Amino acid sequence: MTVAMIDSTTQRKEPELPKKRVGGGLLDPKTLVRSVPDALRKLDPRTLWRNPVMLIVEIGAIWSTVLAIMSPTWFAWLTVIWLWLTVLFANLAEAVAEGRGKAQADTLRKAKTDMMARRLSGWTPGHDQPQNSPEEEVAAPQLQQGDYVVVEAGQTIPGDGDVVEGIASVDESAITGESAPVIRESGGDRSAVTGGTTVLSDRIVVRITQKPGESFIDRMIALVEGANRQKTPNEIALNILLAALTIIFVFAVATLQPLAIFSKANNPGVPDTQALDGNGVTGIVMVALLVCLIPTTIGALLSAIGIAGMDRLVQRNVLAMSGRAVEAAGDVNTLLLDKTGTITLGNRQASDFLPVPGVSTAQLADAAQLSSLADETPEGRSIVVYAKREFGLRERTPGELTGAHWVEFTATTRMSGVDLEDGQQLRKGAANSVAEWVRSQGGTVPVDLGQIVDGISAAGGTPLVVGRTTAGTAEVLGVIHLKDVVKQGMRERFDEMRKMGIRTVMITGDNPLTAKAIADEAGVDDFLAEATPEDKLALIKREQEGGKLVAMTGDGTNDAPALAQADVGVAMNTGTSAAKEAGNMVDLDSDPTKLIEIVEIGKQLLITRGALTTFSIANDIAKYFAIIPAMFVALFPGLDMLNIMRLHSPQSAILSAVIFNAIIIIALIPLSLRGVRYTPSSASKLLSRNLYIYGLGGIIAPFVGIKLIDLVVQLFPGMS
């Protein structure tokens, strides 16, 4: 079980832009052509040793090439060619995956130019004005941690750091792809700036936090190119399993030579025209048999699957600092999500007008709209819109009310409103404040008001009481019901999470009563109210002590300890440098709901790896029936009942299997890069579906493919 958490301080995301894509289709001819040189370079055994399965195939191809030169035949050379193509196709799968990352890296490099920095000498925050300190111009790569640089409008920020003086609008499109500028200011959780971004307005002083050569852009380039990609624990375990199977089959195939000699001696009538010639199994046949029986398919695609998983995150503007984090995200089964900005829109909106006895709803709506015309808060605007939409009130503006005096909200009065020219006064605000104002004007508060206010609070809403004085009479008109609006589609997404076996928990600073109301409406499984940063860190530790993986997201310096403690820490790009350093993922869009997508991508990665492993092993089972009976039926006639494919000859059976083994790798590259389509469902259903589609499909495909190839191969000389 794993816990994922979204921090309560994260900001609401603006409307999402289209996702960035690189290149054409997954098998775009241009991409393939660009990847061929890299695939050829990967034939170097010093590179290929990290993939033991394909290293064995390459060693076998080299040996077969030598044997084919010594005894050239059509069968020998065709087998050698397809053995080399098997290795090349495996390298091509990895090269195509890496090539897509390199295309993204080329785009990022455009943001990294030879910049100069205006470094302040002898200046420290709070001691003097930056403009009074001497400046020196240095190359950006020479900046050290702790240096202070000044950046003005139109200039490029020379390195990663935190704003310590001033406020500015910054264009981060070179990094995030977002065209809209963002505000960066000293103090708070929006002080981090990234080297290569451009200041559009004002003047700021930045304290450099990066080490030379370790800027955010440098790390992004290395990550998307795959230079720093470390194998995940599951990937390492699968590699060990594949290596073990390969070793087993090496010994198994090696025993065929003495077995053939022994069988030939005891069956002198067996003709020498079979694949088992008078001297036993030939070296090329042994290599071909080994390559067909070891799990070459998954061995060839395993690295590409991992690279593609991280690439899919990059396409969604998420940088994963390690494949381990992506894999851990796929194991999540408990999500802790922040309420504000994640489950709800983050701004309370008017949802109902509840008048007190003796007042009509239309009167309350009119007074509520008038008192909110100059209220530019999201809540105030929602009251104006709700009154217009639900009660047909015409659209009015503050300018129409000549002689009106607008009363702004203050923390002291806890209410706002308007004094009209006709002497009418309108106020809206907290229940106690408006009730006290009505009493101070000589009015009385109806006894029903408390029940209305308590009912709204119990439902998780926020009550705003509306009061009015006119002609010397003060009265309470009613209550405006403000509520957190749950984002559209969230309940459906939580239902999908539930199908995936993931339990969702809402984290909020609200009181338990309000939290329960929102949790029930949103459809989450549980909630944690009045949560503090210390509570989150304690929760993470408790979950980890129970053997669970933990994921959270945050943006503030106070989130850094929890981000570092979590197994998956997603830091917002708008957050502080401390938060981004502590996390092992960075969301460039600063979207707190992105964690749900990260979980889905992680699960897709695991499912893709499992599906292709199932397909590969099933392939091998089918190839046993295709090759072994055809090779040994002359020695052991009883095997004829297993020769259900009725291949033309032992030579054509072996060559057809080798060709199929190579072609299936290139055919599965799109699936390994795109990933198996993920449909939210339980683990048992996913397992059943994968066994049915990729297990059964993996058994059937070789029978059909090898038979069709055999019909073509038998036309070549020497295949009879």
Side-chain angles (χ1 to χ4, degrees), residues 75 78-83 85-86 89 288 291-292 623 627 651-667 705-706 708-710 712-714 716 719:
F75 169 74
L78 285 174
T79 304
V80 167
I81 290 173
W82 281 101
L83 287 175
L85 285 177
T86 301
F89 289 164
V291 170
C292 289
K623 283 181 283 190
I627 301 175
Q651 290 92 338
S652 68
I654 293 171
L655 184 58
S656 298
V658 171
I659 294 174
F660 176 84
N661 197 62
I663 291 176
I664 199 64
I665 293 175
I666 203 74
I706 292 175
L708 293 176
I709 296 173
D710 178 72
V712 177
V713 166
Q714 63 181 275
F716 285 86
M719 294 299 153

Side-chain angles (χ1 to χ4, degrees), residues 468-496:
R468 179 180 65 181
T469 63
T470 178
T473 302
E475 60 180 336
V476 173
L477 298 179
V479 186
I480 303 170
H481 183 179
L482 295 179
K483 62 179 294 186
D484 280 338
V485 178
V486 175
K487 290 183 178 179
Q488 186 175 6
M490 291 305 295
R491 176 175 283 274
E492 289 74 15
R493 296 200 73 172
F494 291 145
D495 289 340
E496 291 180 357

Side-chain angles (χ1 to χ4, degrees), residues 122-129:
W123 181 83
T124 55
H127 286 75
D128 191 12
Q129 294 297 320

Side-chain angles (χ1 to χ4, degrees), residues 520-532:
D520 291 341
E521 183 179 355
V524 295
D525 297 311
D526 202 353
F527 66 91
L528 177 63
E530 299 177 344
T532 65

Side-chain angles (χ1 to χ4, degrees), residues 78-351:
L78 285 174
T79 304
V80 167
I81 290 173
W82 281 101
L83 287 175
W84 279 111
L85 285 177
T86 301
V87 184
L88 182 63
F89 289 164
N91 292 342
L92 189 63
E94 185 174 0
V96 169
E98 292 178 349
R100 299 166 72 198
K102 289 178 181 178
Q104 293 167 328
D106 291 339
T107 301
L108 292 173
R109 282 195 179 92
K110 295 178 182 179
K112 185 182 178 184
T113 58
D114 296 330
M115 295 177 290
M116 300 299 293
R118 297 165 56 188
R119 183 167 61 187
L120 297 175
S121 301
W123 181 83
T124 55
H127 286 75
D128 191 12
Q129 294 297 320
Q131 55 266 31
N132 297 332
S133 300
E135 297 180 9
E136 57 178 338
E137 193 170 69
V138 298
Q142 297 179 9
L143 292 173
Q144 302 292 325
Q145 279 184 311
D147 285 347
Y148 294 94
V149 296
V150 60
V151 190
E152 295 183 334
Q155 296 179 343
T156 301
I157 297 174
D160 299 348
D162 291 323
V163 178
V164 296
E165 188 85 19
I167 179 172
S169 176
V170 179
D171 178 10
E172 295 185 340
S173 59
I175 304 297
T176 67
E178 297 278 357
S179 58
V182 296
I183 300 298
R184 293 289 179 263
E185 57 186 332
S186 59
D189 293 338
R190 303 183 72 84
S191 60
V193 291
T194 305
T197 57
T198 304
V199 174
L200 299 180
S201 68
D202 303 294
R203 170 190 172 107
I204 56 176
V205 177
V206 178
R207 183 176 67 86
I208 300 299
T209 59
Q210 71 180 49
K211 295 179 181 179
E214 296 184 5
S215 69
F216 193 59
I217 293 182
D218 290 325
R219 292 163 64 191
M220 289 174 66
I221 292 173
L223 286 166
V224 298
E225 284 185 327
N228 290 345
R229 193 186 85 86
Q230 297 179 346
K231 292 183 178 180
T232 64
N234 285 347
E235 191 174 351
I236 293 173
L238 187 55
N239 263 317
I240 294 174
L241 174 62
L242 297 181
L245 290 175
T246 300
I247 293 174
I248 291 173
F249 279 113
V250 167
F251 283 106
V253 172
T255 62
L256 293 180
Q257 179 75 15
L259 176 63
I261 295 174
F262 174 80
S263 300
K264 178 67 176 177
N266 288 277
N267 294 275
V270 175
D272 292 339
T273 56
Q274 305 294 331
L276 298 174
D277 59 22
N279 297 318
V281 181
T282 64
I284 293 179
V285 171
M286 291 175 63
V287 171
L289 179 61
L290 175 64
V291 170
C292 289
L293 297 185
I294 63 177
T296 51
T297 305
I298 185 60
L301 299 174
L302 187 58
S303 180
I305 294 170
I307 295 173
M310 297 185 70
D311 179 68
R312 283 193 292 274
L313 279 178
V314 172
Q315 291 179 7
R316 288 163 175 79
N317 276 355
V318 177
L319 292 181
M321 304 305 177
S322 71
R324 183 188 299 268
V326 184
E327 193 170 89
D331 288 329
V332 166
N333 60 7
T334 302
L335 286 176
L336 274 76
L337 305 171
D338 176 53
K339 182 200 74 172
T340 305
T342 304
I343 296 176
T344 67
L345 293 176
N347 296 314
R348 297 168 299 173
Q349 296 186 1
S351 63

Side-chain angles (χ1 to χ4, degrees), residues 456-649:
I456 293 175
S457 298
T462 301
L464 288 182
V465 176
V466 178
R468 179 180 65 181
T469 63
T470 178
T473 302
E475 60 180 336
V476 173
L477 298 179
V479 186
I480 303 170
H481 183 179
L482 295 179
K483 62 179 294 186
D484 280 338
V485 178
V486 175
K487 290 183 178 179
Q488 186 175 6
M490 291 305 295
R491 176 175 283 274
E492 289 74 15
R493 296 200 73 172
F494 291 145
D495 289 340
E496 291 180 357
M497 296 290 108
R498 206 167 289 112
K499 292 178 182 178
M500 295 158 53
I502 296 176
R503 177 171 169 266
T504 54
V505 180
M506 182 183 75
I507 303 297
T508 178
D510 290 339
N511 62 72
L513 199 60
T514 301
K516 184 179 186 306
I518 297 297
D520 291 341
E521 183 179 355
V524 295
D525 297 311
D526 202 353
F527 66 91
L528 177 63
E530 299 177 344
T532 65
E534 291 77 14
D535 293 334
K536 299 170 188 176
L537 182 59
L539 177 60
I540 291 173
K541 291 181 178 179
R542 285 199 305 271
E543 294 291 334
Q544 289 175 331
E545 289 171 359
K548 303 170 186 176
L549 296 178
V550 182
M552 71 162 287
T553 179
D555 60 358
T557 301
N558 62 338
D559 297 322
L563 284 169
Q565 179 70 31
D567 299 284
V568 179
V570 183
M572 301 293 102
N573 190 48
T574 56
T576 61
S577 297
K580 288 193 283 188
E581 288 294 330
N584 50 21
M585 287 189 188
V586 177
D587 178 17
L588 300 180
D589 291 332
S590 300
D591 177 9
T593 65
K594 190 74 68 69
L595 185 57
I596 297 177
E597 291 185 49
I598 293 173
V599 170
E600 291 176 348
I601 292 173
K603 286 189 175 294
Q604 186 184 41
L605 171 65
L606 297 177
I607 291 171
T608 300
R609 186 187 296 148
L612 292 183
T613 301
T614 302
F615 186 87
S616 177
I617 295 176
N619 258 256
D620 294 338
I621 294 174
K623 283 181 283 190
Y624 301 157
F625 286 92
I627 301 175
I628 301 298
M631 288 182 58
F632 291 96
V633 68
L635 289 174
F636 305 104
L639 290 176
D640 186 62
M641 61 185 300
L642 298 178
N643 189 17
I644 57 178
M645 297 179 66
R646 300 298 170 184
L647 301 178
H648 181 67
S649 67

